[in-house]
Amino acid sequence: MAASAVASAMPEDITASSYVGFDSITQQIEHKLLKRGFQFNVMVVGQTGLGKSTLVNTLFASHLIDSKGRTEVDIAPRATTEIHNQAHTIVENGVRLKLNIIDTPGYGDMINNEGCWEPIIKYIKDQHSAYLRKELTAMRDRFIPDTRIHCCVFFINPTGHSLKPIDIVVLKKLAEVVNVVPVIAKADSLTIEERLAFKERIMAELQYQQIRLYPFDAEELDEQEIQLNERIREMLPFAVVGSERTVLIDGKPVRGRKNRWGVINVEDERHCEFVYLRNFLTRTHLQDLIETTAQIHYETFRSKQLLALKESSAKAQAASNA
């Protein structure tokens, strides 16, 4: 049985005596990964009312999270510290994705917004800290559960002007610890000309403030991957529209928003850039987001923590010898 399986895996143009078979390692890796499944943790950050929950549900074509915004006058605003993590498992063509959605309350909603971003930054660092503790355990798990944030989708209010000072502060803090992907929320409220001008002003502001956004270029990238990253950077921030509703266009059901002047088709590239965002997050850079989190953001955190631990141990040793 095993011999026949090996024979069937052998390319037809290679004889049995010359075929080694190590080219099947990719199939072996794929088989193990499919059994284990994949973990992806995405955080949404932005002011209340920008459609964070709706966009996430649109991205994954499922109703995964409910809106946490205020809909009644007698409902008190949520505290900034209320960060909710919702876990889901979605399956597509035999690939199982364990998805963690970290929903943050709208920052900047209070009268006093001093330090309103701190719970968000703390949550991200806490996940790195939890992973490091498990990694340093003597009898650690074979596969450490990964709760590190792989992507932070940052929602920008479609004012058409520029970023608010609080947006700049939050973006600076986030970019130091997580992969940040900015989007202009509810982009259908802007004309095409307003949208282009708004995007140019935002990117000019980010460059001036030296805020480094994802994706990053690395030495191991080939020319095609570098060109893809360059095209994505030219498109940032993505001007998007989210919708879970189905409307009919020429008798065909599509996800969109209907108004007095027609229908905004979420998946029409002429209407918004949702398709580009979805392709970027799920079809071309999903694995890179996971790897970049581990190799850049987590490694930076890990080295700082271990160096601090080493210094404190040295000081304690010196004090004991004194």
Side-chain angles (χ1 to χ4, degrees):
M1 191 76 173
S4 62
V6 172
S8 64
M10 192 188 331
E12 295 179 0
D13 57 342
I14 299 179
T15 61
S17 59
S18 63
Y19 180 64
V20 178
F22 58 81
D23 63 344
S24 67
I25 189 171
T26 55
Q27 299 173 11
Q28 299 169 40
I29 294 172
E30 181 183 5
H31 179 67
K32 284 196 171 186
L33 290 176
L34 286 174
K35 284 175 61 180
R36 193 185 312 159
F38 299 87
Q39 180 72 52
F40 186 56
N41 307 317
V42 58
M43 171 181 276
V44 289
V45 175
Q47 297 177 18
T48 298
L50 294 183
K52 299 188 292 291
S53 304
T54 301
L55 185 66
V56 168
N57 293 336
T58 311
L59 275 171
F60 295 99
S62 303
H63 186 81
L64 302 176
I65 56 175
D66 296 322
S67 173
K68 303 297 191 302
R70 295 176 67 210
T71 55
E72 303 293 340
V73 294
D74 57 346
I75 298 176
R78 292 170 61 203
T80 309
T81 53
E82 291 181 8
I83 296 176
H84 291 268
N85 179 5
Q86 297 193 39
H88 299 272
T89 299
I90 54 181
V91 180
E92 185 176 69
N93 294 328
V95 178
R96 188 170 74 258
L97 181 67
K98 289 174 278 188
L99 181 67
N100 272 349
I101 303 169
I102 296 85
D103 184 18
T104 63
Y107 72 86
D109 293 343
M110 304 298 179
I111 296 175
N112 181 7
N113 294 304
E114 184 178 355
C116 63
W117 56 84
E118 290 177 357
I120 299 172
I121 303 300
K122 182 179 182 299
Y123 183 92
I124 297 171
K125 290 183 176 180
D126 284 349
Q127 308 318 305
H128 287 163
S129 181
Y131 193 91
L132 179 60
R133 286 197 303 271
K134 292 175 182 176
E135 196 176 45
L136 296 178
T137 304
M139 302 294 291
R140 64 183 181 183
D141 297 334
R142 184 180 177 187
F143 300 111
I144 300 174
D146 190 2
T147 60
R148 296 170 295 184
I149 309 303
H150 301 131
C151 177
C152 173
V153 182
F154 184 86
F155 287 69
I156 299 170
N157 199 334
T159 61
H161 301 298
S162 187
L163 293 172
K164 295 180 180 179
I166 192 172
D167 291 332
I168 295 170
V169 172
V170 176
L171 277 167
K172 277 186 176 181
K173 299 289 185 181
L174 286 171
E176 293 174 357
V177 294
V178 71
N179 299 321
V180 179
V181 177
V183 300
I184 299 173
K186 299 186 176 181
D188 53 333
S189 62
L190 301 171
T191 66
I192 299 298
E193 293 77 13
E194 289 172 341
R195 196 169 75 184
L196 291 173
F198 190 34
K199 292 175 76 164
E200 289 177 2
R201 281 194 287 269
I202 289 172
M203 291 311 295
E205 183 77 59
L206 294 175
Q207 290 172 7
Y208 177 78
Q209 298 290 342
Q210 297 182 337
I211 298 173
R212 192 181 179 209
L213 302 175
Y214 183 85
F216 313 125
D217 285 336
E219 294 180 359
E220 66 268 16
L221 297 183
D222 58 32
E223 188 63 29
Q224 185 177 1
E225 291 170 325
I226 292 174
Q227 290 178 3
L228 175 60
N229 283 351
E230 186 60 33
R231 288 198 300 271
I232 290 169
R233 280 192 288 267
E234 290 174 357
M235 199 175 292
L236 293 176
F238 293 98
V240 297
V241 179
S243 177
E244 296 182 69
R245 295 184 179 181
T246 300
V247 294
L248 292 177
I249 299 180
D250 298 327
K252 181 182 177 181
V254 298
R255 282 181 297 171
R257 292 164 56 87
K258 192 173 183 179
N259 56 37
R260 293 167 59 188
W261 301 275
V263 175
I264 305 298
N265 184 354
V266 168
E267 301 193 35
D268 190 331
E269 299 169 8
R270 297 170 300 175
H271 293 185
C272 72
E273 295 168 345
F274 167 78
V275 171
Y276 297 113
L277 173 66
R278 182 189 61 193
N279 292 349
F280 170 53
L281 292 181
T282 63
R283 303 185 184 185
T284 63
H285 284 71
L286 178 59
Q287 180 60 26
D288 189 67
L289 282 162
I290 297 170
E291 290 181 358
T292 301
T293 299
Q295 297 169 4
I296 296 180
H297 298 297
Y298 173 68
E299 278 302 312
T300 301
F301 176 86
R302 179 179 176 274
S303 61
K304 287 181 179 178
Q305 291 294 107
L306 294 182
L307 284 173
L309 184 62
K310 183 179 179 181
E311 288 177 6
S312 62
S313 298
K315 288 179 180 178
Q317 184 66 35
S320 63
N321 293 336

